[in-house]
Amino acid sequence: MGYGKRIDTLCSLLQKAESFADVGCDHGYCSEYVLKNGLSERVIFSDISKGSLSKAEKLLAPFVKEGKAKGVLGDGFFGVPKDTQEVLIAGMGGSEMVAILSDARYGFLPEVFVLQPMHDGEKLRRYLIEAGAFIERDFTFEDGKFYEVIVGRKRKAGEEKQAYSDAEYEFGKENLSTRGEAFLKRMERLLKNAEAYLLRENLQAESREELQRKKERLQGVLNGEIK
């Protein structure tokens, strides 16, 4: 695809949909991929940054002219119809994504979603499951740094709530079951960081206890005790 590993990975997870929204679109590369590959002919790309939206509008100008794409300047799901079938949100915190999905004015759970939180993945997973989502993919990949991506859909009528353990909420169900290279490498790095912080003499007792618990959880993941 040629956009770089992070964007290429996200694009590879997108599927054909009647309508698509790229929320926090930045340069608009994922929307361009969707349009060029005929995955959707109704695309909304939005960003809270006027500068980022301008870049995306320039990139997507031919599709905007054809009426296949529309740029929206705004926060979260502002300007995104609630019947939009597939939504991509990438490059922001999991807590921010929860706020967007649950916003009383504009929020909704899309039929299909690809979410790439920069942090607070556990909070996002817990929200999604409680809000009626089914998580289909949930893994870590590396592109200079580590990224988590969560792919899923709305639960079908009569479909039972997905079972997730506390460990799966924290680390990701797929990560724990497949133990991919990027995930284990990230766990090793987090463990080294925790061990380094524990060597500090000026740590408050509460912080030291939390770091020790974190160290033990990470060790449990790496040695296969936490699954």
Side-chain angles (χ1 to χ4, degrees), residues 164-179:
Y164 254 65
S165 67
D166 285 341
E168 288 168 338
Y169 278 124
E170 183 175 1
F171 299 108
K173 185 185 283 283
E174 184 175 345
N175 279 327
L176 290 176
S177 65
T178 63
R179 297 175 63 80

Side-chain angles (χ1 to χ4, degrees), residues 39-167:
L39 297 182
S40 181
E41 292 196 353
R42 289 167 49 206
V43 170
I44 288 180
F45 56 99
S46 70
D47 207 290
I48 195 171
S49 163
K50 188 174 182 180
S52 291
L53 187 66
S54 295
K55 292 175 186 176
E57 286 177 329
K58 184 176 181 180
L59 178 72
L60 302 170
F63 300 103
V64 173
K65 188 175 181 180
E66 291 174 15
K68 293 181 179 180
K70 178 184 177 182
V72 175
L73 180 64
D75 190 15
F77 279 162
F78 172 80
V80 178
K82 292 189 177 183
D83 63 353
T84 301
Q85 187 176 15
E86 183 178 29
V87 171
L88 167 69
I89 312 177
M92 60 183 78
S95 294
E96 191 173 355
M97 292 183 186
V98 170
I100 288 171
L101 293 164
S102 62
D103 184 275
R105 301 161 298 169
Y106 311 117
F108 63 96
L109 181 65
E111 291 292 329
V112 181
F113 55 83
V114 177
L115 308 175
Q116 186 259 295
M118 300 300 289
H119 47 76
D120 293 337
E122 178 179 356
K123 182 176 181 179
L124 180 57
R125 291 182 192 97
R126 289 186 182 276
Y127 173 80
L128 289 168
I129 297 297
E130 291 301 321
F134 187 96
I135 296 174
E136 297 181 323
R137 298 287 315 274
D138 184 0
F139 64 94
T140 299
F141 67 96
E142 185 179 7
D143 182 18
K145 54 185 176 181
F146 299 104
Y147 297 96
E148 288 186 294
V149 62
I150 301 170
V151 184
R153 56 172 173 78
K154 271 187 180 179
R155 286 203 303 268
K156 299 173 184 176
E159 188 174 15
E160 290 186 4
K161 179 180 175 182
Q162 196 172 12
Y164 254 65
S165 67
D166 285 341

Side-chain angles (χ1 to χ4, degrees), residues 1 3-14 20-37 39-40 43-45 56 59-60 86-90 114 116:
M1 285 173 267
Y3 294 112
K5 185 176 179 181
R6 174 176 168 266
I7 298 299
D8 284 354
T9 299
L10 295 175
C11 288
S12 72
L13 297 167
L14 299 173
F20 170 78
D22 184 356
V23 177
C25 64
D26 198 19
H27 291 78
Y29 296 139
C30 292
S31 291
E32 181 185 50
Y33 174 83
V34 166
L35 290 158
K36 279 189 171 181
N37 288 276
L39 297 182
S40 181
V43 170
I44 288 180
F45 56 99
L59 178 72
L60 302 170
E86 183 178 29
V87 171
L88 167 69
I89 312 177
V114 177
Q116 186 259 295

